Amino acid sequence: MIPAASRSEIWLKKLKPYTERLTEIPELIVEGKLSRMVGLTLEAEGCRASIGSLCWVETKSGKKIGAEVVGFSGGRVFLMPTGNTYGLEPGCRVIPLGKNSLAKVGFSLLGRVLDGAGNPLDDKGPLKTDATISLGGKQVNPLSRKPIRDSLDVGVRAINSILAVGRGQRMGLFAGTGVGKSVLLGMMTKYTSADIVVVGLIGERGREVNEFVLKILGEEGMQRAVVVASPADDSPLMRVHGAMLATSIAEYFRDQGLDVLLLMDSLTRYAQAHREIALAIDEPPATKGYPPSVFAKLPHLVERAGNADEGGGSITAFYTVLAEGDDTNDPIADAARGVLDGHIVLSRSLAESGHFPAIDIEASISRVMPDISDSRHMELARELRRLYSLYQQNKDLISVGAYQPGSDPRIDEAIEKNTLIQDFLQQGMDEAVDISRSLSELEVLLSAGVN
């Protein structure tokens, strides 16, 4: 008769191959059944999958619809579909894939237009990528980032001279609708000194995507650019993925030691997509209908941009922020100002008067300009701001003839140079003005004597 201890050892030896296989499985994945669909949210029962993991929802006809796990409660798992939900019904199989979303990256992406899932939207054939990276990015130790020391030429005179941008800076472009933000982004795309440009068109009208690629960027701009487009008719999850994909592509090129310009249009649409997802899974709204999780997602996305460690590349990012009703103090605009390194405000009144780009230099600021500009540059920028503000403060008196010339020499100078300043701050969309030319023209303007 075999002793009990020996029998236990025999059973352990027999079970060893199976226990070793179990340790290789990262999580327990269990299929489930679709029980309910409310709005955009799918609910599955009996399913076990982690947050952010991908699933197939299989219809009775065999059609498979992609979905991602966005929450759970008790025995229910909440999923957000990435595609069309026609054909779904109760009892459909929910099959967890055991993996999270990945971004396909490589230099072959240059000149291509992709959707939020990374599939090509143009007619240039399939993608031939070099690698895949996590869509969620990787956290960078803030102490390992190299400081912002160098300027980035964006080809726009008003920005180069008054609102100097540093390599690795994150800027907000605050604007209402129809004030020329897309054209300004297109100018920066074509005229910047960055090595690579990544454009994320998130939540925009589908017509604007085609216009931006064909008219604003053109063949010249697309040669070193990658465009990720997730228009307004995409699901909220796909819009979120579009913003994350554009950032992941920029991170890849930064890791290759290149200087990248990331243009995200818009950060507000990204926040609104997160709001739709959060409200769909019953997260309570807080500020103007935005749940608290939205304000945690914004810095997570923005902090992925910036400089790499010493010797690496950089991501200089511009995020457009839509001011609802031209209110620059709406919750998303206010939260964005807190996590960005400066903001450029586009004025509707300037746009309506034909002033382009419609940059309100009084309301705009670059927080890293003192670190990247010499004393002479700072002095010239402050002097122009002073003259511009003096004229704006006394504009009503001047226009009605209530101001008497000679009353204040400073105001006299502001009046004398106002036309020159207005011409200096304006620029044609087909004109590129580099940093050196911007500064030389600014110096000539301010050194002109008052008649």
Side-chain angles (χ1 to χ4, degrees):
M1 184 175 181
I2 303 174
S6 299
R7 287 201 301 270
S8 299
E9 290 176 1
I10 293 171
W11 276 109
L12 286 174
K13 287 181 180 179
K14 289 183 178 181
L15 291 173
K16 188 176 181 180
Y18 300 100
T19 56
E20 286 177 348
R21 282 186 61 194
L22 287 174
T23 58
E24 295 172 359
I25 300 176
E27 60 177 325
L28 185 60
I29 299 173
V30 179
E31 288 188 15
K33 297 289 185 182
L34 189 64
S35 60
R36 191 168 70 145
M37 178 178 179
V38 180
L40 297 173
T41 310
L42 308 178
E43 293 186 12
E45 292 183 351
C47 180
R48 182 167 180 176
S50 60
I51 294 291
S53 62
L54 301 176
C55 299
W56 283 122
V57 181
E58 189 177 42
T59 66
K60 298 295 177 64
S61 63
K63 175 185 174 183
K64 290 184 178 180
I65 298 169
E68 182 176 306
V69 179
V70 295
F72 57 85
S73 177
R76 296 175 300 160
V77 171
F78 303 134
L79 304 104
M80 190 66 63
T82 59
N84 199 317
T85 56
Y86 285 112
L88 292 181
E89 58 183 297
C92 290
R93 289 176 64 198
V94 178
I95 310 166
L97 303 181
K99 61 181 181 181
N100 294 344
S101 298
L102 296 174
K104 298 178 181 179
V105 292
F107 283 89
S108 60
L109 295 181
L110 294 177
R112 302 302 300 268
V113 182
L114 316 176
D115 64 10
N119 301 314
L121 289 174
D122 49 28
D123 298 323
K124 297 181 180 179
L127 298 174
K128 298 178 181 179
T129 52
D130 303 328
T132 56
I133 60 176
S134 171
L135 198 64
K138 57 183 180 181
Q139 192 169 12
V140 180
N141 185 341
L143 295 180
S144 68
R145 289 184 186 267
K146 63 181 178 183
I148 299 175
R149 303 189 188 98
D150 305 315
S151 298
L152 178 73
D153 188 353
V154 295
V156 180
R157 181 167 44 226
I159 298 176
N160 284 339
S161 58
I162 312 300
L163 303 163
V165 177
R167 295 181 187 271
Q169 184 175 0
R170 288 80 58 91
M171 290 283 283
L173 190 61
F174 291 70
T177 55
V179 294
K181 67 180 187 307
S182 296
V183 178
L184 182 57
L185 290 179
M187 288 176 64
M188 289 191 283
T189 304
K190 289 189 288 187
Y191 305 140
T192 181
S193 61
D195 302 313
I196 302 291
V197 179
V198 180
V199 182
L201 301 175
I202 310 302
E204 296 298 315
R205 294 182 287 272
R207 173 184 60 81
E208 290 186 342
V209 173
N210 198 36
E211 287 183 358
F212 189 89
V213 173
L214 296 179
K215 295 183 179 180
I216 297 178
L217 279 180
E219 292 185 10
E220 179 186 354
M222 283 298 297
Q223 288 179 0
R224 55 171 175 165
V226 183
V227 177
V228 178
S230 184
D233 59 341
D234 275 358
S235 69
L237 183 65
M238 193 56 62
R239 279 176 268 147
V240 169
H241 280 192
M244 296 171 67
L245 175 61
T247 307
S248 296
I249 293 171
E251 286 176 322
Y252 169 78
F253 288 119
R254 178 185 62 186
D255 292 343
Q256 310 306 310
L258 300 174
D259 292 318
V260 183
L261 178 63
L262 171 64
L263 304 175
M264 186 78 68
D265 187 14
S266 71
L267 192 65
T268 304
R269 304 296 189 205
Y270 169 79
Q272 289 173 348
H274 267 300
R275 177 176 63 181
E276 292 177 40
I277 294 172
L279 293 177
I281 59 176
D282 294 332
E283 184 179 350
T287 308
K288 285 193 175 181
Y290 286 98
S293 64
V294 173
F295 300 99
K297 297 290 186 180
L298 289 178
H300 180 74
L301 180 73
V302 170
E303 283 296 323
R304 292 172 61 182
N307 283 335
D309 53 10
E310 292 289 347
S314 66
I315 300 175
T316 307
F318 281 83
Y319 299 94
T320 65
V321 180
L322 297 177
E324 296 183 4
D326 292 338
D327 178 16
T328 57
N329 292 314
D330 102 300
I332 299 303
D334 197 44
R337 266 193 299 268
V339 296
L340 296 171
D341 304 320
H343 52 272
I344 297 172
V345 179
L346 299 187
S347 166
R348 184 172 298 279
S349 61
L350 288 175
E352 290 173 347
S353 66
H355 186 291
F356 180 83
I359 298 174
D360 184 348
I361 63 171
E362 288 185 293
S364 306
I365 189 172
S366 172
R367 293 180 182 173
V368 306
M369 185 173 177
D371 301 323
I372 61 175
S373 304
D374 57 29
S375 58
R376 182 56 179 163
H377 186 176
M378 293 297 298
E379 181 184 349
L380 293 171
R382 281 194 295 265
E383 180 65 11
L384 186 136
R385 281 180 178 272
R386 181 184 70 82
L387 293 172
Y388 184 89
S389 297
L390 265 176
Y391 185 87
Q392 296 302 319
Q393 292 165 12
N394 296 276
K395 185 176 181 179
D396 292 339
L397 293 176
I398 297 168
S399 61
V400 299
Y403 174 76
Q404 295 298 320
S407 301
D408 188 331
R410 298 178 305 166
I411 299 177
D412 290 340
E413 184 183 7
I415 295 172
E416 183 71 23
K417 293 183 177 178
N418 179 62
T419 302
L420 295 175
I421 291 173
Q422 294 297 329
D423 291 342
F424 176 81
L425 295 176
Q426 296 183 64
Q427 182 177 334
M429 61 180 295
D430 297 322
E431 179 187 5
V433 184
D434 60 23
I435 292 177
S436 60
R437 179 182 161 191
S438 300
L439 294 181
S440 63
E441 290 181 359
L442 178 58
E443 183 129 27
V444 169
L445 184 158
L446 295 177
S447 62
V450 180
N451 296 328

